Amino acid sequence: MALIALAADKGAPGVTTAAVALGAVWPRPVLVAECDQAGGDLVYRLPAEDTGDAGMLNPSRGLLSLAATARRGLRPDQIAEHCQRLVGGLDVLVGLTSAEQAQAMTWLWGPLGRAFAGLGSVDVLADCGRLGAGSPLLDLMREADLVVLVTRATLEQVAHLRERVAVLGEELRGGPPLGVLVLADPRAFRGSVAEVDRILAGTRRRLAGQADAARPGPAAPSVSVLGGLALDPKGADLLGGRWGGRLDRSLLIRSAREAAADLAGRVVAGAARPPADTAPLVEDGRR
């Protein structure tokens, strides 16, 4: 099915919160994978389904254990045994625990992206965290169906976003389209999204205009503002526990449901590649 890579530029706009919120309401089976090179934090923030281990996610079971397997070759059907489940039912692949571990695994991202893209049973939301110059995560992003950049609607973050879009447009030539998801105050939601769209218009035109005889080779990806998520600290806090009625009514989840439906509709399941694995992620309630 589909691979969607979520990332951000400078600052901490909430990529992990966005990935978990979208995953919680995704309209198809989904896996949230922590691929942040700075180290994941799901093990510190969210409770696991009752496993007898004090409700905590196991930091050793996830990307770290999968990487040990991947040195001998990585197949899509190997991913499931390294996944865990959050309270509320969301499947996650826990990330590395430190940036030092990530530095030793720059070889992993390309094979991992191809394995995610080859999963036939679920969509994958890959939380790629903050991007830097020449990030090894570009190898994963090239395998994605869509790359989504998350930003807050502040002048400094949108300015950094504009530069990142221009750079990614060059680095991902011939690759997936770029989308932007805006975290905005609900009181000025539509206006904030429209303003980000306006600021990015020049960059979008420049990238589109480069697909001519003066720039031979693969075309730059298209760029679009996809909408937004409500900047809702209370809703984000509720994601740290059991999501039920209160969370379901939060502004964060209400906006995430709309965004998830739109994103899922943009990546038609199975349209681009044949499924490599049709086994479910959960078997008898366990990985």
Side-chain angles (χ1 to χ4, degrees):
M1 292 173 79
L3 168 60
I4 298 176
L6 293 96
D9 195 76
K10 188 175 181 180
V15 180
T16 300
T17 297
V20 173
L22 290 169
V25 294
W26 199 254
R28 300 192 291 259
V30 69
L31 168 68
V32 172
E34 275 194 302
C35 301
D36 191 339
Q37 283 196 294
D41 56 6
L42 285 180
V43 294
Y44 309 115
R45 292 171 54 178
L46 297 173
E49 194 174 61
D50 186 14
T51 60
D53 190 23
M56 296 181 62
L57 291 167
N58 181 355
S60 298
R61 183 183 176 189
L63 206 54
L64 188 63
S65 58
L66 183 61
T69 301
R71 287 191 177 277
R72 300 187 296 273
L74 181 58
R75 303 187 313 274
D77 60 4
Q78 293 174 296
I79 294 174
E81 62 189 88
H82 301 275
C83 296
Q84 301 179 66
R85 174 162 288 182
L86 298 176
V87 169
L90 179 61
D91 293 316
V92 296
L93 180 68
V94 169
L96 304 174
T97 58
S98 69
E100 288 73 21
Q101 287 179 341
Q103 288 175 353
M105 297 183 185
T106 56
W107 55 270
L108 174 65
W109 306 114
L112 185 63
R114 289 188 289 275
F116 285 154
L119 281 173
S121 55
V122 295
D123 292 331
V124 178
L125 304 179
D127 170 10
C128 297
R130 175 183 169 182
L131 297 179
S135 171
L137 284 167
L138 289 172
D139 291 336
L140 183 151
M141 291 181 173
R142 291 187 181 98
E143 306 296 332
D145 297 276
L146 177 66
V147 174
V148 177
L149 297 174
V150 180
T151 185
R152 292 192 182 185
T154 64
L155 179 60
E156 62 273 20
Q157 288 212 7
V158 176
H160 287 297
L161 170 74
R162 183 172 55 188
E163 298 304 316
R164 180 57 52 195
V165 167
V167 171
L168 277 179
E170 292 295 329
E171 293 176 321
L172 294 178
R173 282 184 166 274
L178 301 178
V180 175
L181 203 59
V182 183
L183 301 182
D185 187 328
R187 294 169 296 184
F189 194 75
R190 295 185 182 277
S192 296
V193 173
E195 181 65 10
V196 172
D197 189 43
R198 184 191 66 78
I199 293 172
L200 289 178
T203 302
R204 187 164 50 233
R205 285 194 298 270
R206 284 196 300 273
L207 289 173
Q210 290 172 357
D212 55 27
R215 292 299 301 268
S222 63
V223 180
S224 58
V225 176
L226 306 175
L229 293 177
L231 193 58
D232 176 15
K234 291 183 179 179
D237 287 343
L238 286 172
L239 280 176
R242 296 178 181 272
W243 46 71
R246 290 177 59 201
L247 178 60
D248 193 58
R249 293 193 297 269
S250 71
L251 293 173
L252 173 61
I253 291 300
R254 285 160 56 189
S255 62
R257 186 172 287 109
E258 182 176 344
D262 178 58
L263 289 173
R266 289 172 182 266
V267 285
V268 179
R273 47 177 77 88
D277 167 44
T278 55
L281 276 180
V282 181
E283 296 179 3
D284 299 326
R286 304 289 293 178
R287 298 295 178 277

